[in-house]
Amino acid sequence: MQAQRYADAGVDVRRGYKAVELMKKHVASTMIDGVRSNLGGFSGLFELNLEDTPHPVLVCGTDGVGTKLKIAFALNRHDSVGIDCVAMCVNDVICCGAKPRLFLDYIALGLLAPLKVEQIVKGVSKGCLQSGCALIGGETAEMPGFYQRGEYDLAGFCVAVAEKERIFDPSTIKSGDCLLALPSSGVHSNGFSLIRQVFDLDRDPSLLFHWYEELGCTLGEELLTPTRIYVSQVLELAEKISIKGASHITGGGFYENIPRMLPSGLGAAINAESIKKKPIFSLIQNTGLIPDEDMYATFNMGVGMVLVINREDAERALSLIPDSWVLGEVTDTAKVVIA
């Protein structure tokens, strides 16, 4: 029976039922061995097969998409931000060598629009497929008066499993080790508050539809490019060579994230000329007259993930990940220098 008074207050549970029906096919596409529950229950169940993991360690991560969502609102395009949500979580847990297994999402909206929710979950499912984990549950909350109609927030939670003996060990990092860069797909999901200010998008979102020759697309299309997921590349590389540490370059850019994987007393020397900087970063910098240091402290600048490996393994790593490159090296000076 429909709760009419609840519907009059702005929450119509029938919209929630419709959204669940629409998203079922996308969630089903992510099912992997071990899933023991169906969509619609009060929890997600997963049976771990640990035959190849004698000393399992659970690794968890949670994150959201941030104000990149405002770009999705302005363009009324919602099928890719779910990939960002998954990427921000799985790219974090992969930094210790863990394999993502489970994912749950949380979507809060001012008005639950079933077709919009389906598109969001479609993106989440794509991200789960790319990272090899199952979308085993989530929550969709209709919150009128808290979020404006047409707006929503999106967050996720990931559970991964690592073999204790194979977790990346930053204590083995030493001066002279190689920093290997894996390219980003673009801005990813950080720095959008600054981007919106630089282009004055909150006042005039029409610029999102402007075509830029250097981008080969509109500004909006470029900014909505989904975050690259590094799970398969990092795990496959870890099978071939020793990865000592990994850093997901997110908010805080190079100066904050690279030191997080380094032992106390060590730093990094970055060869700025080696960075395969995408045109979007030059456009942001030139439009906003942003100093280099602020750019490297805010954006990934074309580097989505940095791995620390032995220098003698560099050539093999480059052959295994052809679009990677040597970014620099670890130093015995406890700071990040970009020159």
Side-chain angles (χ1 to χ4, degrees):
M1 180 180 295
Q2 167 65 14
Q4 188 58 48
R5 288 295 298 276
Y6 204 12
D8 292 343
V11 179
D12 189 335
V13 295
R14 292 173 298 186
R15 291 194 291 262
Y17 301 151
K18 177 63 174 177
V20 170
E21 286 303 312
L22 291 172
M23 70 175 72
K24 278 184 176 179
K25 62 180 179 293
H26 304 300
V27 175
S29 71
T30 73
M31 294 299 100
I32 59 177
D33 289 342
V35 177
R36 296 292 179 264
S37 57
N38 296 315
L39 187 67
F42 288 96
S43 59
L45 281 65
F46 191 88
E47 182 179 355
L48 282 173
N49 182 343
L50 300 175
E51 291 180 1
D52 299 327
T53 314
H55 302 101
V57 176
L58 293 180
V59 181
C60 303
T62 186
D63 209 336
V65 181
T67 61
K68 183 174 185 173
L69 292 177
K70 282 189 169 289
I71 309 302
F73 302 159
L75 297 177
N76 194 27
R77 179 180 159 189
H78 311 282
D79 60 346
S80 64
V81 289
I83 300 175
D84 292 295
C85 186
V86 176
M88 296 304 289
C89 297
V90 299
N91 285 346
D92 278 354
V93 299
I94 198 64
C95 287
C96 68
K99 182 177 182 180
R101 306 306 293 150
L102 319 174
F103 194 85
L104 294 93
D105 59 17
Y106 174 79
I107 308 169
L109 313 92
L111 175 69
L112 201 163
L115 291 174
K116 181 181 293 184
V117 171
E118 179 198 10
Q119 290 301 297
I120 297 168
V121 175
K122 179 181 179 181
V124 173
S125 300
K126 285 182 179 180
C128 288
L129 287 169
Q130 290 180 32
S131 52
C133 63
L135 177 57
I136 65 167
E139 173 68 11
T140 304
E142 191 169 26
M143 302 169 63
F146 195 88
Y147 293 97
Q148 296 295 318
R149 288 198 173 201
E151 294 189 349
Y152 57 86
D153 198 9
L154 174 62
F157 179 80
C158 173
V159 178
V161 179
E163 164 55 41
K164 182 179 179 181
E165 302 304 319
R166 302 189 65 182
I167 293 175
F168 301 160
D169 185 3
S171 70
T172 63
I173 296 175
K174 64 183 185 303
S175 180
D177 280 343
C178 176
L179 298 175
L180 186 75
L182 306 187
S184 70
S185 55
V187 178
H188 284 182
S189 296
N190 298 101
F192 277 84
S193 294
L194 177 56
I195 290 170
R196 286 167 33 238
Q197 181 191 70
V198 164
F199 294 103
D200 202 11
L201 295 177
D202 290 346
R203 185 188 64 82
D204 182 14
S206 66
L207 192 59
L208 291 168
F209 300 93
H210 183 78
W211 177 278
Y212 286 87
E213 288 296 330
E214 60 265 48
L215 301 180
C217 61
T218 66
L219 179 63
E221 289 171 330
E222 175 65 33
L223 293 179
L224 272 191
T225 301
T227 304
R228 180 167 172 170
I229 291 175
Y230 299 96
V231 171
S232 60
Q233 284 187 314
V234 173
L235 289 179
E236 289 170 10
L237 185 64
E239 292 287 333
K240 306 292 194 307
I241 68 172
S242 173
I243 298 176
K244 298 181 175 185
S247 177
H248 182 200
I249 308 301
T250 57
F254 288 66
Y255 295 112
E256 179 182 323
N257 290 292
I258 290 177
R260 292 170 64 181
M261 67 173 169
L262 300 176
S264 177
L266 295 183
I270 306 296
N271 178 4
E273 292 185 358
S274 77
I275 297 176
K276 301 173 183 179
K277 188 166 63 174
K278 293 183 177 295
I280 182 60
F281 297 108
S282 296
L283 179 62
I284 293 168
Q285 183 170 18
N286 294 336
T287 303
L289 302 177
I290 304 172
D292 285 346
E293 186 172 354
D294 282 8
M295 292 294 294
Y296 284 103
T298 306
F299 300 106
N300 67 61
M301 301 300 285
V303 180
M305 182 76 68
V306 178
L307 307 178
V308 180
I309 60 176
N310 289 315
R311 180 161 295 281
E312 55 267 27
D313 289 330
E315 186 173 343
R316 189 177 187 199
L318 293 171
S319 68
L320 291 169
I321 306 180
D323 61 354
S324 66
W325 70 93
V326 174
L327 180 68
E329 66 177 13
V330 177
T331 67
D332 56 10
T333 303
K335 62 180 178 178
V336 175
V337 176
I338 303 173

PDB file of all heavy atoms in Angstrom, residues 51-64:
ATOM      1  N   GLU A  51      41.495 -20.217  -0.930  1.00  0.00           N
ATOM      2  CA  GLU A  51      42.424 -21.318  -1.193  1.00  0.00           C
ATOM      3  C   GLU A  51      43.800 -20.813  -1.606  1.00  0.00           C
ATOM      4  O   GLU A  51      44.824 -21.412  -1.258  1.00  0.00           O
ATOM      5  CB  GLU A  51      41.852 -22.242  -2.266  1.00  0.00           C
ATOM      6  CG  GLU A  51      40.630 -23.033  -1.828  1.00  0.00           C
ATOM      7  CD  GLU A  51      40.112 -23.936  -2.934  1.00  0.00           C
ATOM      8  OE1 GLU A  51      40.729 -23.945  -4.024  1.00  0.00           O
ATOM      9  OE2 GLU A  51      39.098 -24.625  -2.719  1.00  0.00           O
ATOM     10  N   ASP A  52      43.823 -19.715  -2.363  1.00  0.00           N
ATOM     11  CA  ASP A  52      45.105 -19.169  -2.837  1.00  0.00           C
ATOM     12  C   ASP A  52      45.598 -18.015  -1.969  1.00  0.00           C
ATOM     13  O   ASP A  52      46.552 -17.326  -2.336  1.00  0.00           O
ATOM     14  CB  ASP A  52      44.966 -18.690  -4.291  1.00  0.00           C
ATOM     15  CG  ASP A  52      44.597 -19.819  -5.231  1.00  0.00           C
ATOM     16  OD1 ASP A  52      45.039 -20.956  -4.978  1.00  0.00           O
ATOM     17  OD2 ASP A  52      43.863 -19.569  -6.204  1.00  0.00           O
ATOM     18  N   THR A  53      44.944 -17.816  -0.834  1.00  0.00           N
ATOM     19  CA  THR A  53      45.304 -16.705   0.046  1.00  0.00           C
ATOM     20  C   THR A  53      45.407 -17.216   1.482  1.00  0.00           C
ATOM     21  O   THR A  53      44.473 -17.079   2.275  1.00  0.00           O
ATOM     22  CB  THR A  53      44.250 -15.578  -0.037  1.00  0.00           C
ATOM     23  OG1 THR A  53      43.936 -15.322  -1.403  1.00  0.00           O
ATOM     24  CG2 THR A  53      44.764 -14.295   0.609  1.00  0.00           C
ATOM     25  N   PRO A  54      46.538 -17.845   1.824  1.00  0.00           N
ATOM     26  CA  PRO A  54      46.666 -18.459   3.156  1.00  0.00           C
ATOM     27  C   PRO A  54      46.625 -17.472   4.312  1.00  0.00           C
ATOM     28  O   PRO A  54      46.217 -17.815   5.413  1.00  0.00           O
ATOM     29  CB  PRO A  54      48.021 -19.179   3.092  1.00  0.00           C
ATOM     30  CG  PRO A  54      48.754 -18.536   1.963  1.00  0.00           C
ATOM     31  CD  PRO A  54      47.716 -18.108   0.981  1.00  0.00           C
ATOM     32  N   HIS A  55      47.053 -16.227   4.060  1.00  0.00           N
ATOM     33  CA  HIS A  55      47.041 -15.210   5.117  1.00  0.00           C
ATOM     34  C   HIS A  55      46.313 -13.961   4.612  1.00  0.00           C
ATOM     35  O   HIS A  55      46.936 -12.942   4.312  1.00  0.00           O
ATOM     36  CB  HIS A  55      48.470 -14.862   5.548  1.00  0.00           C
ATOM     37  CG  HIS A  55      49.246 -16.030   6.048  1.00  0.00           C
ATOM     38  ND1 HIS A  55      50.182 -16.692   5.269  1.00  0.00           N
ATOM     39  CD2 HIS A  55      49.205 -16.675   7.236  1.00  0.00           C
ATOM     40  CE1 HIS A  55      50.698 -17.684   5.969  1.00  0.00           C
ATOM     41  NE2 HIS A  55      50.125 -17.701   7.166  1.00  0.00           N
ATOM     42  N   PRO A  56      44.984 -14.043   4.524  1.00  0.00           N
ATOM     43  CA  PRO A  56      44.223 -12.937   3.935  1.00  0.00           C
ATOM     44  C   PRO A  56      44.161 -11.718   4.838  1.00  0.00           C
ATOM     45  O   PRO A  56      44.059 -11.826   6.060  1.00  0.00           O
ATOM     46  CB  PRO A  56      42.833 -13.543   3.746  1.00  0.00           C
ATOM     47  CG  PRO A  56      42.736 -14.586   4.810  1.00  0.00           C
ATOM     48  CD  PRO A  56      44.122 -15.154   4.955  1.00  0.00           C
ATOM     49  N   VAL A  57      44.225 -10.556   4.205  1.00  0.00           N
ATOM     50  CA  VAL A  57      44.050  -9.279   4.892  1.00  0.00           C
ATOM     51  C   VAL A  57      42.953  -8.515   4.157  1.00  0.00           C
ATOM     52  O   VAL A  57      43.035  -8.334   2.941  1.00  0.00           O
ATOM     53  CB  VAL A  57      45.351  -8.456   4.897  1.00  0.00           C
ATOM     54  CG1 VAL A  57      45.118  -7.094   5.542  1.00  0.00           C
ATOM     55  CG2 VAL A  57      46.461  -9.204   5.614  1.00  0.00           C
ATOM     56  N   LEU A  58      41.925  -8.097   4.892  1.00  0.00           N
ATOM     57  CA  LEU A  58      40.884  -7.288   4.282  1.00  0.00           C
ATOM     58  C   LEU A  58      41.349  -5.840   4.176  1.00  0.00           C
ATOM     59  O   LEU A  58      41.907  -5.289   5.123  1.00  0.00           O
ATOM     60  CB  LEU A  58      39.597  -7.355   5.104  1.00  0.00           C
ATOM     61  CG  LEU A  58      38.878  -8.699   5.146  1.00  0.00           C
ATOM     62  CD1 LEU A  58      37.629  -8.601   6.005  1.00  0.00           C
ATOM     63  CD2 LEU A  58      38.505  -9.177   3.743  1.00  0.00           C
ATOM     64  N   VAL A  59      41.111  -5.242   3.023  1.00  0.00           N
ATOM     65  CA  VAL A  59      41.516  -3.860   2.761  1.00  0.00           C
ATOM     66  C   VAL A  59      40.272  -3.101   2.307  1.00  0.00           C
ATOM     67  O   VAL A  59      39.580  -3.547   1.386  1.00  0.00           O
ATOM     68  CB  VAL A  59      42.614  -3.798   1.677  1.00  0.00           C
ATOM     69  CG1 VAL A  59      43.043  -2.360   1.432  1.00  0.00           C
ATOM     70  CG2 VAL A  59      43.804  -4.664   2.068  1.00  0.00           C
ATOM     71  N   CYS A  60      39.974  -1.990   2.945  1.00  0.00           N
ATOM     72  CA  CYS A  60      38.734  -1.258   2.662  1.00  0.00           C
ATOM     73  C   CYS A  60      39.035   0.172   2.212  1.00  0.00           C
ATOM     74  O   CYS A  60      40.023   0.779   2.629  1.00  0.00           O
ATOM     75  CB  CYS A  60      37.842  -1.210   3.902  1.00  0.00           C
ATOM     76  SG  CYS A  60      37.432  -2.840   4.561  1.00  0.00           S
ATOM     77  N   GLY A  61      38.160   0.694   1.392  1.00  0.00           N
ATOM     78  CA  GLY A  61      38.295   2.081   0.952  1.00  0.00           C
ATOM     79  C   GLY A  61      36.934   2.688   0.683  1.00  0.00           C
ATOM     80  O   GLY A  61      36.003   1.997   0.265  1.00  0.00           O
ATOM     81  N   THR A  62      36.812   3.967   0.931  1.00  0.00           N
ATOM     82  CA  THR A  62      35.556   4.670   0.659  1.00  0.00           C
ATOM     83  C   THR A  62      35.849   6.065   0.119  1.00  0.00           C
ATOM     84  O   THR A  62      36.854   6.682   0.478  1.00  0.00           O
ATOM     85  CB  THR A  62      34.688   4.758   1.942  1.00  0.00           C
ATOM     86  OG1 THR A  62      33.422   5.314   1.614  1.00  0.00           O
ATOM     87  CG2 THR A  62      35.348   5.601   3.016  1.00  0.00           C
ATOM     88  N   ASP A  63      34.996   6.544  -0.772  1.00  0.00           N
ATOM     89  CA  ASP A  63      35.211   7.866  -1.362  1.00  0.00           C
ATOM     90  C   ASP A  63      33.954   8.263  -2.123  1.00  0.00           C
ATOM     91  O   ASP A  63      33.016   7.476  -2.259  1.00  0.00           O
ATOM     92  CB  ASP A  63      36.431   7.847  -2.301  1.00  0.00           C
ATOM     93  CG  ASP A  63      37.126   9.196  -2.396  1.00  0.00           C
ATOM     94  OD1 ASP A  63      36.469  10.224  -2.132  1.00  0.00           O
ATOM     95  OD2 ASP A  63      38.322   9.220  -2.751  1.00  0.00           O
ATOM     96  N   GLY A  64      33.957   9.469  -2.631  1.00  0.00           N
ATOM     97  CA  GLY A  64      32.853   9.974  -3.444  1.00  0.00           C
ATOM     98  C   GLY A  64      33.376  10.609  -4.706  1.00  0.00           C
ATOM     99  O   GLY A  64      34.563  10.513  -5.032  1.00  0.00           O
TER     100      GLY A  64
END
